Amino acid sequence: MFERPQERRTHLRFDKVFTVYLTTQDGMMRGVGRNISARGMFVEVRDQVGLGEKLKVTFAGEDGTEMTCLCEVRYQVALAFGRKDGREGSSRGVGLRIVAYETHDDAPLLLVDRERVMH
């Protein structure tokens, strides 16, 4: 039998699909957040985002509350695939490292504590 690779991630991951809004140097875009942890997340996006680029990610709750964090693009993923109907499909995403959280619009960013595990 095959041996499973050892998990190297140290933080718990929340594997849920949710809408996020990304603010980049070029404007705002909508993305689909997946697989978030205390230190980062993966977001499916339509447009390419540059490696190392800093951007803001805003989560909007159903009750109207919002939370924004400053992130850095750590990696990009592009996938091309065939669909059942024979057409070509594709998907693109970015791996983001969370650098800081915004507390209020007029307040400075709250830096992420590297040792603290958030649940």
Side-chain angles (χ1 to χ4, degrees):
M1 284 292 173
F2 294 102
E3 186 176 324
R4 287 184 176 235
Q6 184 178 8
E7 178 63 59
R8 296 182 304 162
R9 299 171 180 161
T10 57
H11 296 284
L12 295 174
R13 306 193 83 65
F14 181 63
D15 195 13
K16 179 82 173 155
V17 177
F18 49 94
T19 300
V20 296
Y21 298 92
L22 291 83
T23 305
T24 69
Q25 297 171 354
D26 298 325
M28 183 179 268
M29 71 175 91
R30 187 174 163 179
V32 177
R34 298 178 181 271
N35 203 358
I36 186 169
S37 76
R39 306 278 292 280
M41 72 184 90
F42 180 77
V43 178
E44 289 181 11
V45 293
R46 286 188 180 195
D47 300 320
Q48 186 172 348
V49 183
L51 286 175
E53 185 173 338
K54 301 272 193 294
L55 50 87
K56 289 183 179 183
V57 177
T58 302
F59 305 85
E62 291 179 10
D63 62 354
T65 59
E66 292 184 355
M67 181 181 83
T68 300
C69 57
L70 177 66
C71 296
E72 176 184 28
V73 179
R74 301 294 293 167
Y75 64 88
Q76 299 175 345
V77 175
L79 176 65
F81 54 89
R83 298 177 188 236
K84 289 182 181 181
D85 63 5
R87 294 184 310 151
E88 192 174 293
S90 65
S91 179
R92 176 186 307 272
V94 289
L96 304 175
R97 180 174 69 94
I98 299 172
V99 178
Y101 291 93
E102 273 189 353
T103 53
H104 301 286
D105 289 337
D106 59 347
L109 294 173
L110 174 65
L111 295 178
V112 175
D113 184 349
R114 300 266 180 233
E115 301 302 317
R116 184 173 162 219
V117 177
M118 299 168 54
H119 298 280

